[in-house]
Amino acid sequence: MAFLYESPSPFLCRVKLFASNFQIPAARQAGIGLEASIGKAEADVIVIGSGIGGLCCAGLLARYKQDVLVLESHDLPGGAAHSFDVKGFKFDSGPSLFSGFQSRGLQANPLAQVLDALGESVECASYDSWMVYVPEGEFLSRIGPTEFLKDLEKHAGLDAVHEWKKLLDAVLPLSAAAMALPPISIRGDLGILSTAAARYAPSLFKSFIQMGPQGALGATKLLRPFSEIVDSLELKDPFVRNWVDLLCFLLAGVKSDGTLSAEIVYMFAEWYKPGCSLEYPLHGSGAVVDALVRGMQKFGGRLALSSHVEEIVVENGRATGVRLMNGQFVRAKSAVVSNASMWDTLSLLPRDVVPNSYQDRIKATPQCESFMHLHLGFDAKNIPDDLGIHHIVVNDWKRGVDADQNVVLISVPSVFGKDLAPEGKHVLHAYTPGTEPFGIWEGLDRRSAEYKNLKTERSEVMWKAVERALGPGFRREDCEVKLVGTPLTHKRFLRRNRGTYGPAIKAGEATFPGHSTPIPQLFCCGDSTFPGIGVPAVAASGAIVANSLVSVSQHNDLLDAVGI
C-alpha cells in the first residue's frame, strides 16, 4: 500500500525537529559505513536523494559496475522510510505495512527483487490481520480468501459477502496477467523488447490462456480505474464500496475511481489468495534502508550524507553534475538521477534550460495533501498482551476516506520488534494518510502560539484513535515520548513541496510520467514517476532507471541472476 504497504506510502520528517540530541541513525547502529563527505567529486551517475527509489537505483547501478554516488541532504539515509531513535525508542518515519519480502520469482515485490540482486535480505515477522474500527463496529480484519468473509457477514451482512466473493472471482484471475511482467524487467529504451516483451511473452500468453476469453477481456481493464471493474460487476453494497475505496486510497492516494486496476489487482493477489501473509521488518523500516545501503556499498557505491544539492548543473543542454549548498561542483560523467519529487526537481533546474511545456505540466499536476503524525513511547504494563501491530480507524464513511481528520492509521511495531523499544515498553506511530491540508499551515511561524495551538488541535483525532485502539489502560499523560509532526515538518525536513504525499494522478485521466526528462542525461525516479506511489512502485521506478543506463546484456544478466 502506498503509505502502509510501503505505504505508502507514505512519511515523517527528520526527527531533528523534535529531539536532535537523541538521534542514533539506524544504519550506524547496524554497522553500515556512512560517509560524512563526498570523497571524489565525480561519479558515473549521481543520485539525488536516498529514498527507497534512489537507493534501489543506486544499488543496482553499483551492481552493474557503475561508479555511483548518492547525495543525501539529511544526516540519515532513507528519505521518508528512515528510522530514528529517541530515548531508546526506535520509530518508523513512514512505511509500516509490508508484504512480499519472502516471495521469489515473477510475483515477488520489486523491492524484494532488488534486495535479491544485491545479495541482501530483511528479517521479517509474518502475520495475517489488523484491527479495524469503522462506523459499523470494530473487528480483526484477516487476509486470505475466506477469513474476511466471516467479518463481512457479521458487520455488513450476507449481501456484502456475496458481492465480495463476486469481486474476488473477477479480480484474482487477473492477477496472473498483472504479475506476468515484473517491473524490474522494464527499461526506458527499445531494449525492453528483449528484457521484457520477448523474455516474458510465454508467461503472459499462458496467463491469458488460463483466464479464458472472459478473463482476458477483463485484463484489458488493468490500465483503467478500478472503479470500472467494480461498476461492471454491479457492486452496490455500501460497505464493500467503502472498503474498496479505503484500500485504493491507502495504496495510491486516490479512491477507486482514480486507482489503476493493475495496482489494486496486484494488492488483492497479495492479500486475498490462499496462504498469503503480511510481513514486518523485525528491526523496523530502517532495516530495509540499511539493507539497501549495505548492498550498494558492497558493490562500491557511495553515500554522502548532509550533502544538500542546491542545483542540477546543465552545460551545453545536458545535465553534467550538481552544485552543493557549499558551492562544490560534483561531476556526473553519464547521468544525474533525481529521487526528489517532480516539483522539487524542477526547483533544482535553471529555468532557462527547461522547456515551458515541461514546467507547465509539472505545475499543473495535482498533489495529494500532507500528513499529521504522532510518535509515542510508553509503558506496556496496562496495555493488552494481545495488542495487534496495525489498526485502522475510519470515523465517517459519508465524508469519504480522503477527507481530512477522518482516517487514522496506527502502527505498534514493538509488538514484533522487541528491540524497537526498551524492555516492557511500546513504540507507536499514528498518522493521517495524505489528507492533512497544507493550506491551513502555510506561512505559520513554527515558534508561534498559533502554530502550537494548531498542532494540539489537529493531533487530537490521532490521540483519540490511539486511545480507542489501546484501551482504557493507556494514558496519554504517561507517555515517555510524544512527538507531533505537521505538513510544515514534511516540507522543511523531507524537502517535499507543500509537504505533499505525491502526485494525485487519477487513472483514466492521466498517467504517471516516465523517467526521462527534456534535459539529456537527467532522469527521475520515485513517487513522481511510473509506476507511482508506494514502496513497491518506487522500488520499481529506481530499478527501471538503473536498467535504462546500462546495456541490454547487463540487464538480462541481472534478471538471470535474480531468477526471473
Side-chain angles (χ1 to χ4, degrees):
M1 298 175 89
F3 196 66
L4 289 172
Y5 193 87
E6 344 216 318
S7 115
S9 146
F11 293 24
L12 186 71
C13 55
R14 265 171 81 212
V15 75
K16 242 184 177 178
L17 174 67
F18 307 117
S20 59
N21 292 333
F22 299 112
Q23 278 193 339
I24 303 174
R28 238 170 259 156
Q29 295 172 19
I32 295 174
L34 301 182
E35 298 183 27
S37 61
I38 64 169
K40 181 177 63 172
E42 182 181 76
D44 293 330
V45 181
I46 290 172
V47 177
I48 303 171
S50 67
I52 284 181
L55 288 177
C56 285
C57 179
L60 290 183
L61 284 170
R63 194 188 187 288
Y64 283 135
K65 296 183 168 44
Q66 297 289 301
D67 178 21
V68 61
L69 171 64
V70 179
L71 297 173
E72 171 55 54
S73 182
H74 303 324
D75 56 6
L76 291 169
H82 76 266
S83 291
F84 58 89
D85 186 294
V86 180
K87 297 183 178 180
F89 294 92
K90 299 178 181 65
F91 294 99
D92 288 344
S93 64
S96 56
L97 187 59
F98 298 84
S99 68
F101 274 126
Q102 308 306 322
S103 57
R104 294 294 181 268
L106 291 180
Q107 298 185 6
N109 186 320
L111 176 57
Q113 293 175 342
V114 172
L115 289 170
D116 273 354
L118 299 179
E120 295 292 336
S121 61
V122 177
E123 188 180 6
C124 294
S126 296
Y127 60 105
D128 63 359
S129 61
W130 67 90
M131 278 300 298
V132 176
Y133 308 82
V134 292
E136 291 85 351
E138 55 187 63
F139 59 93
L140 187 67
S141 176
R142 293 159 291 185
I143 64 173
T146 59
E147 295 303 318
F148 185 56
L149 297 177
K150 300 174 185 177
D151 303 323
L152 276 178
E153 182 175 357
K154 180 177 179 180
H155 296 280
L158 285 176
D159 286 344
V161 172
H162 296 321
E163 291 199 358
W164 188 256
K165 286 181 177 178
K166 190 176 182 180
L167 181 61
L168 289 184
D169 288 344
V171 167
L172 291 182
L174 300 181
S175 65
M179 295 178 169
L181 185 65
I184 199 173
S185 70
I186 300 173
R187 53 188 293 125
D189 57 22
L190 291 177
I192 193 174
L193 296 176
S194 170
T195 63
R199 190 181 184 101
Y200 300 104
S203 62
L204 188 61
F205 181 72
K206 181 180 178 181
S207 69
F208 278 111
I209 293 295
Q210 291 174 338
M211 285 188 290
Q214 185 174 355
L217 180 62
T220 63
K221 298 178 181 179
L222 287 174
L223 299 181
R224 298 291 303 166
F226 190 64
S227 60
E228 293 186 5
I229 291 180
V230 175
D231 291 339
S232 69
L233 296 172
E234 298 183 343
L235 305 185
K236 302 185 184 304
D237 183 84
F239 186 89
V240 170
R241 302 284 306 212
N242 286 327
W243 187 257
V244 167
D245 269 345
L246 178 64
L247 294 180
C248 288
F249 184 74
L250 296 175
L251 176 69
V254 289
K255 295 192 292 188
S256 61
D257 61 354
T259 301
L260 199 66
S261 291
E263 292 184 74
I264 197 73
V265 165
Y266 179 91
M267 186 274 293
F268 264 66
E270 283 286 298
W271 287 12
Y272 297 110
K273 65 185 178 184
C276 57
S277 68
L278 298 169
E279 297 160 339
Y280 178 77
L282 284 178
H283 305 296
S285 63
V288 178
V289 175
D290 294 346
L292 289 170
V293 173
R294 278 196 310 270
M296 178 190 69
Q297 292 182 333
K298 181 195 312 180
F299 290 98
R302 294 179 283 154
L303 169 66
L305 300 175
S306 302
S307 300
H308 177 62
V309 173
E310 189 76 10
E311 180 184 26
I312 298 171
V313 176
V314 179
E315 299 173 324
N316 299 319
R318 308 178 74 82
T320 58
V322 300
R323 196 172 312 282
L324 303 183
M325 183 179 286
N326 64 8
Q328 184 177 15
F329 172 66
V330 187
R331 180 168 296 280
K333 292 187 285 186
S334 299
V336 174
V337 179
S338 176
N339 186 210
S341 76
M342 62 171 69
W343 305 280
D344 296 294
T345 299
L346 181 62
S347 71
L348 296 176
L349 286 164
R351 283 294 185 270
D352 59 346
V353 305
V354 183
N356 289 335
S357 58
Y358 187 68
Q359 295 187 46
D360 293 342
R361 181 181 63 77
I362 290 176
K363 292 174 182 177
T365 300
Q367 296 182 350
C368 294
E369 292 289 4
S370 192
F371 294 83
M372 289 294 296
H373 291 264
L374 183 64
H375 286 92
L376 303 176
F378 53 93
D379 200 299
K381 65 180 179 182
N382 295 319
I383 306 302
D385 293 335
D386 59 351
L387 179 69
I389 182 174
H390 292 301
H391 308 256
I392 298 179
V393 178
V394 180
N395 292 314
D396 185 356
W397 288 124
K398 293 179 181 178
R399 293 191 63 218
V401 295
D402 54 352
D404 68 301
Q405 301 272 290
N406 194 29
V407 176
V408 178
L409 308 178
I410 300 169
S411 174
V412 193
S414 50
V415 166
F416 291 132
K418 300 305 181 183
D419 64 338
L420 298 178
E423 187 174 356
K425 313 282 185 180
H426 273 310
V427 60
L428 180 148
H429 176 204
Y431 52 95
T432 56
T435 57
E436 181 66 9
F438 183 80
I440 65 176
W441 299 87
E442 192 168 12
L444 291 182
D445 182 342
R446 293 178 298 102
R447 297 163 295 184
S448 68
E450 182 182 4
Y451 176 73
K452 294 174 183 176
N453 290 337
L454 191 59
K455 279 179 70 173
T456 299
E457 174 191 335
R458 301 294 288 183
S459 63
E460 184 62 21
V461 67
M462 296 183 294
W463 279 110
K464 288 181 177 178
V466 168
E467 289 167 343
R468 186 175 180 184
L470 300 187
F474 172 79
R475 287 162 45 92
R476 65 174 77 178
E477 56 268 28
D478 292 338
C479 290
E480 298 176 35
V481 177
K482 305 175 189 177
L483 307 174
V484 177
T486 74
L488 294 186
T489 313
H490 275 269
K491 182 178 184 294
R492 183 183 180 198
F493 290 100
L494 280 188
R495 302 188 187 278
R496 299 282 295 185
N497 183 270
R498 298 179 64 82
T500 183
Y501 184 20
I505 294 176
K506 287 191 171 186
E509 296 180 9
T511 58
F512 275 86
H515 307 92
S516 61
T517 73
I519 312 298
Q521 294 185 186
L522 174 63
F523 298 83
C524 295
C525 67
D527 59 18
S528 286
T529 64
F530 175 84
I533 292 174
V535 165
V538 298
S541 76
I544 292 170
V545 173
N547 297 336
S548 302
L549 294 175
V550 300
S551 69
V552 171
S553 62
Q554 286 177 290
H555 188 181
N556 274 319
D557 287 344
L558 176 75
L559 296 174
D560 289 337
V562 177
I564 58 175

